[in-house]
Amino acid sequence: MAKIQPFDPDPIVTSTPSNGGRRVSHASNEHRAGKRRLSPVDKASGLRRFVLILRHSLRTLFLKSGWWDSDLAATIRKFLRGRLVSLITMIALFVALFLAEIFSVAQVP
């Protein structure tokens, strides 16, 4: 079994007189020590890298165009997160999962 380094969600932050009372995160010191954190795009290669770059470009395009904040986009988001769409998707899931078994039990050819 692989050893996994424990995750520390809250890095230690210290304030000392030697740094002028500034709050310094030890996580930021890792960057200075040469341990650069790689972004997902830097880690990926090939098709995955292309998809990540394309996704980032489209997200940036939508945000810069102002479409995401428009009334139409808000209405579409509200509709898709509403009760009617939830009910329709639950019924579709139930039918997809159990219709074949119901037909076989009912001996429908």
Side-chain angles (χ1 to χ4, degrees):
M1 187 161 190
K3 292 183 179 180
I4 300 173
Q5 180 180 2
F7 174 69
D8 185 14
D10 193 21
I12 300 170
V13 178
T14 58
S15 174
T16 61
S18 63
N19 63 14
R22 292 180 295 134
R23 294 173 56 90
V24 178
S25 170
H26 292 291
S28 66
N29 290 337
E30 290 180 6
H31 179 66
R32 290 187 202 122
K35 296 180 181 176
R36 185 176 154 241
R37 291 181 129 182
L38 296 176
S39 71
V41 174
D42 292 335
K43 293 179 186 177
S45 63
L47 182 62
R48 173 121 173 98
R49 182 179 176 93
F50 173 73
V51 169
L52 288 173
I53 291 171
L54 181 66
R55 184 186 305 167
H56 177 72
S57 301
L58 288 174
R59 182 177 297 137
T60 304
L61 180 70
F62 278 135
L63 289 175
K64 285 184 178 179
S65 70
W67 181 84
W68 188 255
D69 297 324
S70 69
D71 291 336
L72 178 63
T75 304
I76 291 172
R77 283 195 304 271
K78 186 185 286 187
F79 172 74
L80 290 176
R81 294 175 184 163
R83 286 185 181 177
L84 179 64
V85 173
S86 297
L87 179 67
I88 291 171
T89 55
M90 292 300 286
I91 291 171
L93 179 64
F94 179 78
V95 168
L97 290 175
F98 298 112
L99 196 62
E101 285 79 11
I102 292 171
F103 278 179
S104 63
V105 168
Q107 296 181 353
V108 175

